[in-house]
């Protein structure tokens, strides 16, 4: 099976950029998820172990507690905690990799530091509408399931699979698994399962990876999930859609930590006939900021909903956005979105 992504010219250019680089920085989007971390750490592993490069993995802010088991995650440097160190790394960098994001604005408060860097730039991503200005190489494939799949296929094409480490394979599998909801959406292409088969030859324990991600919550996190589904779910049978809210009060009551709501937006899709699920979560520090997650099934375009109503975007069945308003106003906007997309939801 041919899973190469790059033209011969692009592959040669990427190899030369890597060979010439002395200080490489890898970064991903704000609030990194399993794919952003998995892809970043896997690419760092390849560059370090096979190319002999000095590599730093930098993230804008905190990532979920349930991903701290990922190999080499302890080496990740957070901008929000180590501002000066991160700034110094970008100043010294001669090559920067954008992993799992399509525009510098996705790193949020770290954007000025990222854009000020004089390094060469390479994007490895799977989101729509990548920003190409200022990029030396853009490897963007929205049809792929994850940035981790992109990373695997690039490593494969550069001849790095045979020497791929167990850590690298674990990181890639975790990224692919989490960005497809355990291979339950955006994962019907045969190439995905060919890659999984290859990763298994590296001795990864896919069942343990699943448990580490999905069966790794605190008791309080489980209680929060039960409360939200029982008391906060707003279900619209005629629209085949639902939403729930997570307020600061909810978070305080259930001792919320980063990642406690991960994947929760998928749960309402268990309801027979459901097409769209929306999660509305208040920011725990900034007033009038609501984070929005959307999930859908089949051909319902939740990315169009995100773009039209939530200042966001993403993939057909998995998208996100944000609103600058109160949680009550966010609920009203969500109801308006359901009405606007009524014909598609009732189809």
């Amino acid at each position: 099976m041919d899973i190469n992504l790059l033209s011969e010219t692009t592959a040669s250019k990427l190899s030369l950029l890597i060979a010439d680089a002395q200080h490489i920085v890898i970064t991903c989007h704000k609030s990194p998820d399993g794919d952003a971390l998995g892809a970043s750490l896997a690419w760092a592993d390849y560059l370090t172990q096979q190319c002999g490069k000095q590599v730093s993995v930098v993230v804008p802010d905190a990532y979920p507690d349930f991903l701290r088991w990922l190999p080499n995650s302890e080496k990740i440097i957070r901008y929000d905690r180590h501002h000066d160190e991160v700034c110094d790394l970008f100043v010294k960098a001669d090559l920067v990799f954008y992993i799992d994001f399509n525009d510098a604005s996705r790193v949020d408060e770290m954007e000025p530091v990222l854009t000020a860097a004089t390094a060469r730039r390479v994007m490895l991503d799977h989101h729509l509408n990548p920003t190409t200005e200022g990029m030396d190489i853009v490897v963007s494939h929205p049809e792929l399931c994850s940035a981790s799949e992109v990373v695997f296929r690039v490593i494969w094409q550069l001849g790095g699979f045979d020497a791929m480490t167990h850590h690298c394979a674990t990181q890639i599998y975790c990224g692919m698994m989490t960005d497809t909801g355990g291979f339950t959406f955006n994962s019907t292409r045969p190439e995905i399962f060919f890659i999984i088969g290859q990763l298994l030859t590296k001795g990864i324990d896919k069942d343990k990876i699943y448990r580490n991600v999905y069966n790794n919550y605190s008791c309080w996190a489980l209680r929060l999930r039960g409360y939200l589904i029982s008391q906060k779910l707003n279900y619209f049978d005629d629209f085949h859609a639902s939403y729930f809210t997570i307020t600061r009060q909810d978070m305080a009551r259930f001792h919320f930590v980063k990642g406690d709501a991960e994947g929760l937006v998928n749960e309402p899709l268990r309801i027979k006939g459901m097409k769209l699920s929306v999660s509305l979560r208040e920011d725990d520090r900034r007033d009038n900021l609501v984070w929005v997650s959307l999930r859908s099934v089949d051909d319902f375009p939740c990315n169009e909903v995100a773009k039209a109503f939530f200042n966001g975007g993403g993939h057909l069945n998995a998208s996100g956005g944000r609103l600058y308003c109160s949680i009550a106003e966010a609920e009203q906007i969500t109801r308006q979105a359901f009405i606007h997309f009524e014909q598609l939801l009732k189809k």
Side-chain angles (χ1 to χ4, degrees), residues 62-78:
Y63 53 89
D65 279 2
F66 63 77
L67 292 174
R68 295 187 183 278
W69 64 271
L70 273 169
N72 296 323
S73 62
E74 72 280 359
K75 298 177 182 178
I76 293 172
I77 306 168
R78 283 173 50 180

Side-chain angles (χ1 to χ4, degrees), residues 17 60 65 79 98 104 117 127 134 169 177 187 189 201 230 234 242 245 258 276 299 304 324 327 331 339:
L17 286 177
D65 279 2
Y79 172 74
Y98 290 43
H127 292 91
M177 180 190 72
S187 56
R189 292 177 299 101
T201 68
S230 172
N234 294 272
S242 71
T245 63
K258 190 91 168 183
L276 176 64
D299 59 352
E304 292 185 16
Y324 301 96
I327 196 73
E331 290 191 69
I339 294 171

Side-chain angles (χ1 to χ4, degrees), residues 1 6 47 138 149 171 248 255 261 267 293:
M1 179 175 290
L6 312 177
L47 295 175
V138 174
E149 182 184 351
Q171 293 151 350
R248 288 180 181 175
H255 307 280
E267 290 301 311
S293 293

Side-chain angles (χ1 to χ4, degrees), residues 328-340:
E329 291 170 316
E331 290 191 69
Q332 292 302 315
I333 292 170
T334 303
R335 291 169 183 262
Q336 291 169 15
F338 291 171
I339 294 171
H340 181 83

Side-chain angles (χ1 to χ4, degrees), residues 121-196:
R121 300 168 192 269
V122 176
M123 179 184 293
L124 303 178
D125 185 44
H126 71 130
H127 292 91
L128 295 168
N129 306 316
T131 297
T132 58
E133 184 178 356
M135 304 299 298
D136 291 273
I137 296 176
V138 174
V139 183
S140 176
H141 288 269
E143 75 277 10
L144 301 189
C145 76
S146 59
S148 294
E149 182 184 351
V150 175
V151 166
F152 177 91
R153 292 171 73 154
V154 171
I155 292 174
W156 177 279
Q157 186 167 357
L158 296 181
F161 176 73
D162 286 346
M164 178 180 285
T165 68
H166 178 269
H167 281 175
C168 185
T170 296
Q171 293 151 350
I172 288 172
Y173 184 85
C174 178
M176 292 178 64
M177 180 190 72
T178 53
D179 236 33
T180 58
F183 304 103
T184 60
F185 56 82
N186 196 27
S187 56
T188 58
R189 292 177 299 101
E191 294 87 350
I192 293 173
F193 296 93
F194 171 78
I195 292 171
I196 293 170

Side-chain angles (χ1 to χ4, degrees), residues 173-233:
Y173 184 85
C174 178
M176 292 178 64
M177 180 190 72
T178 53
D179 236 33
T180 58
F183 304 103
T184 60
F185 56 82
N186 196 27
S187 56
T188 58
R189 292 177 299 101
E191 294 87 350
I192 293 173
F193 296 93
F194 171 78
I195 292 171
I196 293 170
Q198 296 302 309
L199 293 173
L200 288 170
T201 68
K202 297 297 180 179
I204 67 168
D205 187 338
K206 72 175 187 63
D207 300 334
K208 186 175 182 180
I209 294 171
Y210 182 94
R211 293 196 304 272
N212 283 345
V213 172
Y214 295 112
N215 298 339
N216 198 15
Y217 294 107
S218 69
C219 179
W220 283 111
L222 200 60
R223 292 179 187 278
L224 170 66
R225 288 166 175 260
Y227 168 72
L228 292 175
I229 294 299
S230 172
Q231 304 297 320
K232 303 293 290 289
L233 183 66

Side-chain angles (χ1 to χ4, degrees), residues 280-342:
L280 305 171
R281 178 176 63 83
E282 282 188 313
D283 190 88
D284 60 351
R285 291 176 298 169
R286 288 175 284 184
D287 293 333
N288 294 317
L289 175 58
V290 178
W291 296 100
V292 185
S293 293
L294 306 94
R295 297 293 185 271
S296 65
V297 299
D298 297 330
D299 59 352
F300 183 83
C302 73
N303 54 348
E304 292 185 16
V305 181
K307 182 178 179 180
F309 285 88
F310 301 114
N311 305 300
H315 303 286
L316 180 72
N317 297 132
S319 301
R322 66 180 78 181
L323 291 171
Y324 301 96
C325 62
S326 68
I327 196 73
E329 291 170 316
E331 290 191 69
Q332 292 302 315
I333 292 170
T334 303
R335 291 169 183 262
Q336 291 169 15
F338 291 171
I339 294 171
H340 181 83
F341 284 88
E342 178 178 4

